[in-house]
Amino acid sequence: MDALIASGLPTKKDERYKYTDIAAALEPDFGLNLSRLPLSFDPRQTYRCRVPGLGSRVHYVVGDSVAESNVIVDDGRLFVGPMVEFAQRYPDLFRAYYNKVEGDSLTALNTMLVQDGIVIRVAKGCKVDDLLQIVNLSVGNVPMLANRRQLIIMEQGAEASILCCNHSATGCNNLATEVVEGYLANGSHLQYYSVEETSDNCNLLNTTAFMQHEGSNLEYGSITLNSGLLRRSVKIEFDGSNAQTTVSGLVLAHGTSHIDNNLLVAHNAPLCRSDILYKYVLDGSSTGAFAGKVLVNAQAQKTDSQETNANLCVSPSARMFTQPMLEIYADDVKCNHGSTVGQLDDTALFYMAQRGITPEEGRLLLQQSFAWDVLQRIDLLPLRQRLIHMVEERFRRGIGACGDCVMCGGNEI
Amino acid sequence: MLEIRNIHASVEGKEILKGINLTVKAGEVHVLMGPNGSGKSTLSNVIVGNPQYTVTAGTITFNGRDLLAMPPEDRSHEGIFMSYQQPVEIPGVSMNNFMRAAVNAKRKYQGLPPIGGGDFLKMVKEKRELVGLDADLTRRSVNEGFSGGEKKRNEIFQMAMLEPQLAILDETDSGLDVDALRIVAEGFNRLRTPQTAAICITHYQRMLDYIKPDIVHVMLDGRIMRTGGPDLAYRIESEGFDWLKETTPNS
Ligand SMILES: Nc1ncnc2c1ncn2[C@@H]1O[C@H](COP(=O)(O)OP(=O)(O)O)[C@@H](O)[C@H]1O
Ligand SMILES: [Mg+2]
């Protein structure tokens, strides 16, 4: 609370928030579920979110409550369960890892209001084969503010894949703050993907921080298929040498949605690699923003970094702001960065029409192919195929075409 | 099959076609010659409905139907194909996906279900062999990184896939070496039937030796100045176009 009062909420004058008006997002009079009302439905029945070809353990977070129907996993190798439970069972671990991110006032707001969250801890040397899925549901028949939290602890040499699916089960305006903290100990390997498939009245302010130690490997991706205002502030820090990260972002925006990705990759150790690719396809009068900074500190010799942001504005009223940045204090590094903003190619569309492909189909093909290489970066094949399918469905059927989401739409691949 | 009557067309407000008349019947191969800038590509683009070109007067019918009222994709479905002078690159869209979309769009127009995966691949292989296109190229993005010759061969491959009734070849022979020209021309000849027709734009006799045209037209400054038999092409080859400038256009 003190931190929040001291710094105040971010304004557009803050460099990292210049594209998103946080005060406006927080302005509505939101309800908070302080009395811990129980759920009125079982999300397990409604949101199945399966990935064919992968065993998965699904954990539901409804609003800001961890669903009671979740089965807590705690077998010594792996813990997946509510934060409150984890804090009781492993108080030392909890104290060592929780809320260690150096966050801004939004993190402080979340820390003050958060009631529970999900902890995933993979013990030393353990490899989790099943996909760990977290389904976040926005709920409420009045405008709600939900504050949710994730803590991910990958111990030495641990391996796991996590998929977060954010959905909406409400027609009401709502806002979620979300803080994700992840620790990758030496030699650990984490794939973390987050899919946003909510609605235009769902707003999310996310702060994500990953700390990577020696030889660890992080594959981080966020895929936005449908959302209102969405801001992701992602910080990845290399604290040990020979670590690497692949950061991928795909944004499909329409209507008046506003999607802002703010990324900071800090190389504080030598011989680390970061490979960043964000692509936006903006339709309607949506707004996209990307600010990605790669910071190479003096001790981070032999850094290898590639940062690309490519954007496609498919409607004349869509707008994109892009700002890839590189700040280098070491001399022996290999770093590249660049960005492009383009429109659909009319010459290509006519070429396709001459071959019989309708303009609608041609536009789909061009947009899908634009998105293609982001999805190709997903290492886990069944997950990649599932996400490709979701993106195709999103392009083909538009948004809100099925009762809940494209993931659960019964369209098995 | 194709009836072009008094077509006037402009691009960016400038009149390029100044009254074109042309009739193409089933089984015929027409050759269109003329100096650069005389409007040959413009005429091709008007036939296929490129929106960059505005038709200001005249009519075009295809099998009795008003072609100018149809969107470009329907003209394609009705059986008109244009091999581009400069084929377009489409990064990210694979040749296979592109052709599958084209084949299925046509099938949908004809009231047929989408083609099965196995049938499609069989068809690709067969047509690919017809024009000697490398298997690897159908897996790559459309025309991206193709050599000039590969792009032209790829146009004839697409023609083979879509089996048009009327094919317009806009300088498909330009930039091809002798062997590539032979392969492309033989591929084209194999696709000919008594029910199909073609308009072939070329500057070169060697293409004519392969495709054996029935009728030759010479265009000058947006008009067809002379129409004749294959011997007209030989006269152009030896004497150029200047002698035509003194004559009056045929109607
Ligand atoms: N897309 C276009 N934009 C502007 N001018 C064009 C375009 N296409 C053709 N033209 C002009 O129209 C005239 C005829 O061109 P074109 O039809 O390409 O002739 P040809 O194919 O006989 O060489 C030229 O003066 C050319 O500059
Ligand atoms: Mg031309």
Side-chain angles (χ1 to χ4, degrees):
Chain A
M1 189 75 183
D2 294 344
L4 184 59
I5 291 166
S7 59
L9 285 168
T11 69
K12 284 195 151 188
K13 288 201 188 95
D14 291 303
E15 181 62 23
R16 294 200 77 197
Y17 284 93
K18 69 178 180 184
Y19 299 121
T20 298
D21 191 344
I22 300 299
L26 283 165
E27 199 168 69
D29 194 1
F30 288 112
L32 274 170
N33 184 12
L34 292 174
S35 54
R36 318 310 304 147
L37 293 172
L39 298 175
S40 55
F41 71 101
D42 181 4
R44 207 159 281 274
Q45 298 306 318
T46 322
Y47 293 86
R48 294 184 310 278
C49 295
R50 289 279 179 258
V51 177
L54 269 185
S56 62
R57 301 166 193 252
V58 187
H59 285 252
Y60 295 88
V61 178
V62 180
D64 56 5
S65 313
V66 178
E68 275 167 25
S69 56
N70 293 338
V71 183
I72 297 175
V73 182
D74 185 8
D75 58 9
R77 306 172 68 238
L78 172 68
F79 179 93
V80 189
M83 198 168 268
V84 172
E85 199 63 40
F86 184 77
Q88 275 168 16
R89 296 188 196 185
Y90 304 94
D92 294 344
L93 276 178
F94 184 72
R95 238 174 283 120
Y97 288 103
Y98 179 70
N99 202 30
K100 291 294 179 277
V101 295
E102 186 191 309
D104 53 20
S105 47
L106 278 176
T107 315
L109 176 74
N110 176 283
T111 306
M112 186 179 76
L113 294 173
V114 73
Q115 305 274 343
D116 203 352
I118 295 268
V119 178
I120 294 176
R121 174 211 170 207
V122 186
K124 186 175 169 183
C126 290
K127 181 174 186 299
V128 182
D129 290 324
D130 288 351
L131 178 68
L132 304 173
Q133 264 182 280
I134 302 171
V135 177
N136 291 304
L137 289 178
S138 299
V139 292
N141 11 2
V142 291
M144 293 292 280
L145 170 65
N147 302 285
R148 51 187 202 232
R149 193 109 184 173
Q150 286 173 21
L151 175 61
I152 298 158
I153 305 165
M154 302 292 292
E155 293 184 357
Q156 200 178 325
E159 287 181 33
S161 304
I162 299 171
L163 172 65
C164 301
C165 302
N166 300 343
H167 298 307
S168 166
T170 170
C172 283
N173 190 20
N174 66 88
L175 173 68
T177 72
E178 179 179 65
V179 175
V180 178
E181 290 176 83
Y183 299 88
L184 282 80
N186 294 359
S188 62
H189 189 157
L190 175 65
Q191 292 192 53
Y192 183 98
Y193 280 89
S194 182
V195 177
E196 188 75 12
E197 158 69 18
T198 56
S199 63
D200 54 7
N201 52 24
C202 284
N203 308 304
L204 173 64
L205 303 174
N206 164 286
T207 307
T208 297
F210 284 105
M211 177 62 83
Q212 287 194 246
H213 296 286
E214 194 177 326
S216 63
N217 185 346
L218 170 68
E219 195 184 313
Y220 170 86
S222 65
I223 295 173
T224 306
L225 301 178
N226 191 11
S227 173
L229 178 145
L230 171 58
R231 180 190 154 83
R232 288 182 188 280
S233 168
V234 177
K235 182 176 174 189
I236 297 168
E237 231 174 312
F238 292 118
D239 213 26
S241 62
N242 287 296
Q244 59 172 310
T245 185
T246 308
V247 185
S248 309
L250 178 62
V251 173
L252 312 182
H254 57 95
T256 56
S257 59
H258 175 105
I259 316 292
D260 177 358
N261 279 296
N262 194 291
L263 176 71
L264 171 64
V265 176
H267 286 256
N268 298 329
L271 292 157
C272 292
R273 244 180 57 203
S274 55
D275 178 2
I276 302 155
L277 175 65
Y278 276 77
K279 283 193 162 190
Y280 288 57
V281 180
L282 301 174
D283 207 341
S285 37
S286 61
T287 312
F290 173 79
K293 178 152 122 184
V294 175
L295 172 64
V296 182
N297 282 312
Q299 66 273 33
Q301 296 296 355
K302 303 232 180 289
T303 286
D304 181 346
S305 172
Q306 169 72 43
E307 181 186 22
T308 308
N309 171 228
N311 309 290
L312 191 60
C313 290
V314 301
S315 96
S317 43
R319 282 187 307 160
M320 181 70 203
F321 300 93
T322 170
Q323 193 181 19
M325 286 168 281
L326 202 49
E327 207 174 301
I328 306 178
Y329 299 100
D331 46 26
D332 181 15
V333 299
K334 203 177 99 196
C335 297
N336 279 306
H337 72 310
S339 70
T340 56
V341 181
Q343 282 85 39
L344 288 174
D345 180 355
D346 285 336
T347 316
L349 284 172
F350 181 71
Y351 187 68
M352 293 197 257
Q354 207 303 299
R355 303 311 189 229
I357 300 169
T358 60
E360 301 77 60
E361 188 73 23
R363 288 165 63 92
L364 280 179
L365 268 178
L366 289 182
Q367 292 177 56
Q368 271 180 29
S369 62
F370 182 79
W372 180 251
D373 55 348
V374 181
L375 299 167
Q376 286 310 308
R377 291 156 65 97
I378 302 169
D379 206 33
L380 196 63
L381 188 64
L383 181 60
R384 186 198 312 159
Q385 285 170 339
R386 190 61 185 163
L387 291 175
I388 286 173
H389 177 70
M390 286 177 70
V391 168
E392 278 176 3
E393 285 292 296
R394 161 68 171 76
F395 276 127
R396 210 153 278 283
R397 302 191 305 161
I399 39 112
C402 80
D404 31 31
C405 70
V406 287
M407 195 111 188
C408 325
N411 281 285
E412 294 301 313
I413 39 174
Chain B
M1 177 189 288
L2 183 74
E3 293 274 355
I4 300 178
R5 287 287 161 263
N6 189 35
I7 279 292
H8 290 250
S10 58
V11 58
E12 289 167 359
K14 186 175 131 207
E15 180 165 69
I16 308 293
L17 300 184
K18 301 168 179 170
I20 298 280
N21 293 294
L22 180 66
T23 302
V24 179
K25 299 199 182 77
E28 290 177 348
V29 172
H30 290 237
V31 160
L32 199 54
M33 302 183 89
N36 282 333
S38 55
K40 304 180 299 294
S41 294
T42 301
L43 178 60
S44 314
N45 277 289
V46 162
I47 297 171
V48 296
N50 187 333
Q52 285 184 355
Y53 300 82
T54 315
V55 174
T56 51
T59 58
I60 306 181
T61 60
F62 186 65
N63 295 325
R65 301 186 56 189
D66 180 5
L67 199 65
L68 297 179
M70 288 182 208
E73 60 273 19
D74 287 357
R75 301 185 197 196
S76 168
H77 299 146
E78 288 288 330
I80 298 179
F81 180 91
M82 177 170 86
S83 165
Y84 275 58
Q85 186 171 353
Q86 267 135 9
V88 178
E89 299 188 6
I90 315 180
V93 178
S94 76
M95 266 309 294
N96 271 331
N97 282 345
F98 173 63
M99 272 290 95
R100 189 195 300 268
V103 167
N104 282 335
K106 182 169 184 182
R107 290 177 64 92
K108 188 173 173 191
Y109 187 78
Q110 294 170 332
L112 297 170
I115 189 168
D119 289 344
F120 176 75
L121 291 177
K122 222 175 89 192
M123 184 174 167
V124 166
K125 185 165 184 287
E126 185 189 313
K127 308 295 183 181
R128 203 165 48 64
E129 283 166 0
L130 189 78
V131 295
L133 193 75
D134 206 57
D136 173 54
L137 294 186
T138 59
R139 278 181 231 115
R140 300 230 306 258
S141 293
V142 177
N143 290 323
E144 196 185 29
F146 286 30
S147 72
E150 283 167 344
K151 283 183 182 168
K152 296 299 178 73
R153 218 180 280 193
N154 189 20
E155 294 290 288
I156 303 299
F157 163 71
Q158 293 173 44
M159 176 182 161
M161 291 290 290
L162 296 171
E163 298 184 327
Q165 240 188 85
L166 174 70
I168 303 167
L169 307 189
D170 191 356
E171 299 202 24
T172 302
D173 54 342
S174 300
L176 293 186
D177 62 32
V178 184
D179 289 335
L181 175 70
R182 183 178 44 77
I183 294 168
V184 163
E186 282 173 356
F188 168 79
N189 279 338
R190 256 178 256 150
L191 294 168
R192 278 181 73 177
T193 73
Q195 285 76 46
T196 63
I199 299 171
C200 183
I201 298 168
T202 183
H203 294 294
Y204 305 107
Q205 189 57 47
R206 41 178 208 167
M207 181 67 166
L208 304 180
D209 292 341
Y210 278 110
I211 63 169
K212 307 236 177 333
D214 303 290
I215 299 166
V216 175
H217 310 273
V218 183
M219 257 180 100
L220 273 183
D221 190 26
R223 292 186 182 90
I224 291 182
M225 295 296 282
R226 182 62 68 102
T227 294
D231 49 322
L232 179 58
Y234 288 97
R235 183 153 179 211
I236 299 284
E237 177 93 356
S238 56
E239 294 178 38
F241 297 107
D242 284 348
W243 62 277
L244 277 166
K245 289 181 181 155
E246 277 76 62
T247 63
T248 48
N250 58 332
S251 54

